[in-house]
Amino acid sequence: MDISGIDIQELTQELNGRWEIHHKEKVDSTNIWARTGASEGAPEFSLYLADEQSKGKGRTGRVWQSPAGTSVSMSLVLRPDIPMEKMPMLTLVMGLAAAVGMREAANLPVEIKWPNDAVVNGKKLCGILTEMGPAGEFVICGVGLNVNMDAFPEELADKATSLYLETGEKHSLAAVTAAVLNAFEKYYHAFVKNGDLAELQKDYEAILANKGRAVRILDPTGEYNGKALGIDKEGRLLVERSDSGQIEKIFTGEVSVRGIYGYV
Ligand code: BTN
């Protein structure tokens, strides 16, 4: 098992030739690299992987740390034949695939914090950044997997973890990547066929950490407490308000959801 960087031969074998794999030791950001590829015509299921990123992009303009050899940084080129407004749901599709894949690869009870964080013991194992092409002609789905890191910088230590920190064992980057991508393929096809998450809902809710839990909804128009019930087929979080008993449907991006007793 190669634990110093991803073993591309092992990955190629595990993926059975279904992805066009591009690999570099170091790039600025695999999302930037994949966007260039997609703009030049890279087909659906092109995969851009790097052992290290110097300018990994996180959500809301943050930097994503991708240390050499212990994490997976990859970006997928997708060309789903669905209306543009449905594309943000892909983030939930990948969130589910990352949680399911990491569960299988490391035999760990990984859960999802809505909408797309794979978490264990209340800490993040993965980050997902989905970006669209200028006219929705492609989607770049960027994924960072925390696999073999043995520590995190102080500011992340209470929020982030890795498979190694949780299991005490090093894992093959290729095997974890393949488990995530194989799960993704299955869920992606079901999503594109229906244009919604109806076929994924059961698997998603089975590992939804928020389900049945008290949550605080940080809505710019007013905060409230409630209980998370699950998701609908559009990926909205269903929350029963504590004050009125009314069921609210929470869109991603619109508000933040916090656990009352912690991050989840
Ligand atoms: C987050 O803030 O949670 C999202 C982080 C996304 C990080 C991944 S790593 C691979 C891909 N390339 C990037 O520059 N970002 C994404």
Side-chain angles (χ1 to χ4, degrees), residues 28-32 53 55-60 62-64 66 72-75 116-117 124 126-129 141-145:
D28 47 4
S29 150
T30 55
N31 266 30
I32 296 175
Q53 299 183 111
K55 277 193 209 145
K57 293 202 273 179
R59 277 180 296 188
T60 58
R62 280 172 302 189
V63 173
W64 178 260
S66 315
V72 174
S73 302
M74 62 177 170
S75 299
N116 64 267
D117 282 343
K124 258 175 88 147
C126 157
I128 299 170
L129 180 67
C141 185
V143 188
L145 302 172

Side-chain angles (χ1 to χ4, degrees), residues 32-48:
I32 296 175
W33 184 26
R35 176 177 286 274
T36 306
S39 307
E40 291 167 357
E44 168 146 279
F45 301 124
S46 295
L47 179 65
Y48 293 79

Side-chain angles (χ1 to χ4, degrees), residues 38-191:
S39 307
E40 291 167 357
E44 168 146 279
F45 301 124
S46 295
L47 179 65
Y48 293 79
L49 283 144
D51 295 330
E52 191 181 356
Q53 299 183 111
S54 57
K55 277 193 209 145
K57 293 202 273 179
R59 277 180 296 188
T60 58
R62 280 172 302 189
V63 173
W64 178 260
Q65 312 269 358
S66 315
T70 56
S71 61
V72 174
S73 302
M74 62 177 170
S75 299
L76 287 50
V77 174
L78 303 169
R79 298 181 182 276
D81 187 12
I82 52 170
M84 210 163 153
E85 66 274 11
K86 291 182 184 274
M87 291 188 181
M89 277 189 255
L90 276 168
T91 304
L92 278 85
V93 179
M94 182 48 92
L96 172 61
V100 167
M102 290 177 109
R103 244 178 192 255
E104 284 172 7
N107 199 18
L108 250 189
V110 181
E111 297 185 304
I112 303 169
K113 179 187 178 282
W114 183 86
N116 64 267
D117 282 343
V119 295
V120 69
N121 293 324
K123 294 182 179 182
K124 258 175 88 147
L125 277 168
C126 157
I128 299 170
L129 180 67
T130 303
E131 300 179 300
M132 273 190 264
E137 67 281 35
F138 60 79
V139 181
I140 304 299
C141 185
V143 188
L145 302 172
N146 298 342
V147 180
N148 289 329
M149 294 96 143
D150 57 9
F152 285 88
E154 208 184 312
E155 67 279 11
L156 291 178
D158 62 335
K159 297 188 197 81
T161 190
S162 70
L163 294 179
Y164 173 63
L165 287 171
E166 297 299 322
T167 61
E169 283 169 24
K170 299 271 179 174
H171 294 268
S172 151
L173 299 177
V176 175
T177 303
V180 170
L181 289 174
N182 287 333
F184 177 77
E185 253 187 90
K186 174 178 108 180
Y187 292 127
Y188 177 73
H189 288 304
F191 165 64

